[in-house]
Amino acid sequence: MFGSVTSVNCALYETNDAHELSNIKLITVTGKIVFIVKSSEWLKVSIIFFSLYKILKQFLTSNYYTKIMAKLTSRKENYSQWYNELVVQANLAETSAVRGCMVIKPYGYAIWEKMQHQLDSMFKATGHVNAYFPLFIPKSFFSKEASHVEGFAKECAVVTHYRLKNDPDGKGVVVDPDAKLEEELIVRPTSETIIWNTYKKWVHSYRDLPILCNQWANVVRWEMRTRLFLRTAEFLWQEGHTAHATAEEAREEAEKMINVYSDFAENFLAIPVIKGVKSANERFAGALDTYTIEALMQDGKALQSGTSHFLGQNFAKAFDVTFTKKDGTTDYVWATSWGVSTRLMGALIMTHSDDNGLVLPPKLAPIQVVIVPIYKTDEQLAAITEKAQAIKKALEAKGITVEYDDDDTQKPGWKFAEYELKGIPVRLAMGARDLENGTVEVARRDTLTKETLPLENIDAYVENLLNEIQKNLFEKAKAFRTEHTYKVDTYEEFKERVKNCDGFILAHWDGTTETEEKIKEETKATVRCIPFDAPDEEGTCIYSGKPSHKRALFAISY
């Protein structure tokens, strides 16, 4: 009735209009709660009014009221608004006092930590080690690699001074003009320049290679239009930077890491991705080739979910990083860089979630199973708790994360809605009747179905169910992608698909930047990649009519 309430305004009105009113009526007028009473009742009502008002205000402004009344905008109605509401209501993140920056809340950060832990183990399994490099980069470093600085110049935050002082006029603090830096510092948008300046000190001989370093860090890229997780001025990521003796080794490394990202996306995020190489126009600034994984969101837009770059010898030449080869000659080092970010949180949300809230793949859910007791007496609670704790212990022995929610400040129905919103993969509920029958109710988040099962071997059943949910989420997303991938052979059909934001489009393209830019200008669609598995196929470019030997993957993208 009241919608989202942040404050309550109340008023008393006196009237003798008996045919219109009887005793007390409560109505709402543009958000104001109005109590209308007859004159004969004025004294009696005014005595209780302020007590009632205080109680009502306390309820309407409480978190409890907000949560039970809040309902997500549907994806069909407004996909962008649905996403923004879900991120906030599921307690993943919120905007901060700093323009363009976000606060990642504990539940959201717990999901990121699961991603981070899994990726870190995959990196180490492929021989990589972690290091950390400075947040601040001298401006002169960016001048050494022309294409690199051109790609990031408009996004850089620059530090010019190193000290504040009290305002002589007593108006707080001001920048001390005498504390100007001799050379401005760039707040890290990416770390190639500072890392290759460091590698110059590390590399002298072929014996010093390869260097396989990864760094977990934050970066700053000044964005004008921001969106939680998808595009913020500051975000978290990992960036790998490797150095090699040969071009072949470096290319192999770049391809290996895009395969690691693909493995992670499909087997942990449960997101099917298309691997491919970026066009010259879309590749990373300073790279010779960029490999990418592209995912399709439920609104038909593509999301670049990870990239790996073959940098050639560009950065080695810029920072004079040479090494002595086995034959005694010298050469510049070959390089790669690769990274994924908290943008993967956005991918996870938009691929699987529904109008009821978040849907998490079990492998990345901070809480995989929640157990909710349903009881009326303390005796019932004690008996249920004994059974629930036994289930919890058995599941945890299998490496499954479990929460037993016996908080008595909220009703079971509220808890069910809350855990549905937060995407807990499996919910177990146990009441007095379950105790008598030796059963438990099992609900799965991905299909919103539930069933009552015997307690015997419930731990094995839940373990298998989590694996089934993980697989089901991937297969569902893959089926959606297949259903929304189209081959087109004419520009008119292409424009119609793009206009409707139908999904991925496979079309012939002549390979020129000129044609790519014209298509982007006219339709806003970009070449997401040339898929690795795209078959050789003779055709003509949908725009220029020139010969084409493969189809490229196009889409509107985030």
Side-chain angles (χ1 to χ4, degrees):
M1 179 171 64
F2 303 111
S4 179
V5 177
T6 55
S7 63
V8 177
N9 294 311
C10 290
L12 270 176
Y13 287 95
E14 180 182 7
T15 180
N16 285 313
D17 195 347
H19 76 275
E20 184 177 337
L21 305 167
S22 62
N23 291 329
I24 299 177
K25 285 190 176 181
L26 170 63
I27 64 172
T28 60
V29 180
T30 60
K32 176 178 282 189
I33 299 172
V34 183
F35 294 86
I36 305 178
V37 301
K38 295 196 306 182
S39 294
S40 60
E41 303 291 338
W42 180 260
L43 179 60
K44 181 169 64 177
V45 172
S46 61
I47 293 172
I48 66 169
F49 173 74
F50 290 105
S51 296
L52 176 61
Y53 166 63
K54 287 175 67 176
I55 294 170
L56 189 62
K57 180 176 181 179
Q58 185 177 13
F59 171 69
L60 291 176
T61 57
S62 68
N63 288 334
Y64 176 77
Y65 172 79
T66 302
K67 285 194 173 183
I68 64 171
M69 295 300 292
K71 179 173 171 53
L72 292 173
T73 299
S74 71
R75 290 162 293 171
K76 186 176 181 180
E77 181 183 350
N78 188 323
Y79 191 84
S80 178
Q81 187 173 334
W82 163 82
Y83 173 84
N84 293 335
E85 290 174 357
L86 177 51
V87 170
V88 173
Q89 290 188 32
N91 272 329
L92 301 178
E94 63 187 27
T95 56
S96 76
V98 183
R99 186 183 181 279
C101 295
M102 63 178 169
V103 174
I104 303 177
K105 300 181 80 171
Y107 188 59
Y109 199 84
I111 299 170
W112 173 244
E113 281 183 317
K114 295 270 283 192
M115 293 184 187
Q116 188 180 35
H117 175 76
Q118 181 56 43
L119 282 166
D120 201 60
S121 66
M122 296 171 85
F123 298 157
K124 288 171 180 172
T126 48
H128 299 86
V129 293
N130 288 329
Y132 187 79
F133 298 86
L135 172 68
F136 302 112
I137 303 171
K139 186 179 72 173
S140 59
F141 285 17
F142 277 81
S143 304
K144 294 185 178 183
E145 217 295 325
S147 60
H148 188 66
V149 69
E150 184 180 352
F152 286 101
K154 294 180 180 179
E155 300 176 344
C156 288
V158 184
V159 179
T160 58
H161 292 72
Y162 61 84
R163 188 171 60 221
L164 300 174
K165 69 175 185 177
N166 289 323
D167 187 342
D169 297 329
K171 298 178 180 179
V173 296
V174 294
V175 174
D176 186 345
D178 296 329
K180 185 173 174 56
L181 293 170
E182 290 184 15
E183 180 180 3
E184 292 92 344
L185 297 173
I186 310 301
V187 182
R188 172 177 56 215
T190 183
S191 297
E192 278 77 6
T193 56
I194 191 71
I195 286 176
W196 278 92
N197 181 74
T198 304
Y199 282 179
K200 179 178 174 59
K201 294 182 284 185
W202 294 5
V203 177
H204 304 285
S205 161
Y206 69 90
R207 296 183 183 88
D208 300 320
L209 298 170
I211 296 175
L212 305 175
C213 278
N214 174 64
Q215 133 167 294
W216 292 95
N218 61 335
V219 291
V220 172
R221 296 179 186 176
W222 214 255
E223 298 282 357
M224 299 305 293
R225 296 180 180 179
T226 59
R227 240 176 130 188
L228 295 173
F229 291 121
L230 296 176
R231 197 173 290 277
T232 50
E234 179 195 17
F235 55 90
L236 305 181
W237 78 344
Q238 60 74 212
E239 49 179 325
H241 296 272
T242 68
H244 303 268
T246 67
E248 292 74 23
E249 285 180 19
R251 277 198 180 275
E252 182 182 338
E253 167 76 5
E255 291 170 4
K256 178 196 296 180
M257 297 318 294
I258 204 64
N259 286 328
V260 167
Y261 289 154
S262 174
D263 180 12
F264 175 74
E266 298 197 338
N267 292 309
F268 292 88
L269 291 165
I271 299 177
V273 294
I274 293 177
K275 293 182 289 185
V277 62
K278 286 286 190 182
S279 65
N281 208 40
E282 291 286 324
R283 73 170 62 121
F284 178 73
L288 299 186
D289 270 319
T290 289
Y291 307 126
T292 183
I293 53 172
E294 299 288 329
L296 185 64
M297 304 296 98
Q298 292 180 64
D299 62 347
K301 290 183 181 179
L303 185 72
Q304 178 181 289
S305 301
T307 51
S308 180
H309 316 290
F310 171 59
L311 302 175
Q313 295 175 310
N314 288 350
F315 286 93
K317 290 177 179 178
F319 290 90
D320 193 30
V321 184
T322 61
F323 71 105
T324 303
K325 299 163 69 173
K326 286 184 180 180
D327 63 6
T329 61
T330 60
D331 195 8
Y332 288 104
V333 174
W334 298 83
T336 78
S337 66
W338 30 272
V340 295
S341 73
T342 40
R343 171 174 268 222
L344 289 179
M345 291 286 291
L348 185 70
I349 295 162
M350 292 194 293
T351 300
H352 301 305
S353 300
D354 59 25
D355 292 347
N356 296 304
L358 197 61
V359 177
L360 293 176
K363 288 183 179 180
L364 295 178
I367 304 167
Q368 295 168 309
V369 178
V370 64
I371 306 174
V372 179
I374 303 172
Y375 61 93
K376 292 183 178 179
T377 67
D378 291 342
E379 290 76 15
Q380 287 179 351
L381 175 60
I384 292 170
T385 297
E386 183 179 352
K387 293 285 187 184
Q389 291 293 355
I391 296 171
K392 183 174 184 286
K393 184 176 180 181
L395 290 172
E396 288 175 339
K398 294 179 178 292
I400 297 168
T401 55
V402 186
E403 179 175 311
Y404 177 53
D405 186 356
D406 59 352
D407 178 10
D408 62 1
T409 63
Q410 304 294 356
K411 298 293 184 182
W414 187 94
K415 294 178 182 180
F416 292 171
E418 177 75 355
Y419 291 124
E420 193 172 278
L421 175 65
K422 298 181 86 168
I424 309 301
V426 173
R427 186 188 74 233
L428 305 182
M430 185 180 294
R433 186 175 299 176
D434 293 302
L435 279 178
E436 294 174 6
N437 299 332
T439 59
V440 64
E441 182 185 84
V442 181
R444 53 188 289 180
R445 178 62 183 88
D446 61 327
T447 61
L448 296 174
T449 57
K450 57 186 179 182
E451 55 186 334
T452 300
L453 298 170
L455 284 173
E456 187 178 1
N457 296 323
I458 193 65
D459 55 326
Y461 179 85
V462 170
E463 182 180 33
N464 291 332
L465 181 59
L466 290 169
N467 291 331
E468 183 183 326
I469 292 171
Q470 183 80 27
K471 180 180 179 182
N472 180 58
L473 289 175
F474 177 78
E475 293 300 333
K476 182 180 178 182
K478 189 174 182 181
F480 177 86
R481 187 188 71 182
T482 299
E483 185 181 343
H484 293 83
T485 300
Y486 307 90
K487 280 188 177 181
V488 304
D489 294 310
T490 68
Y491 194 46
E492 289 306 312
E493 186 183 357
F494 179 91
K495 288 190 289 186
E496 191 63 28
R497 289 291 182 194
V498 171
K499 178 182 177 183
N500 298 328
C501 199
D502 284 339
F504 282 147
I505 302 170
L506 290 165
H508 280 286
W509 164 57
D510 62 20
T512 67
T513 297
E514 180 185 8
T515 295
E516 182 180 7
E517 289 179 343
K518 285 288 187 182
I519 291 173
K520 181 179 180 179
E521 180 183 332
E522 294 178 15
T523 69
K524 297 184 179 178
T526 56
V527 175
R528 303 315 306 152
C529 68
I530 296 88
F532 288 153
D533 60 1
D536 292 332
E537 179 185 342
E538 296 304 315
T540 57
C541 174
I542 57 167
Y543 189 87
S544 68
K546 295 178 182 178
S548 167
H549 309 294
K550 278 187 178 180
R551 291 181 185 267
L553 187 74
F554 289 83
I556 300 290
S557 69
Y558 281 96

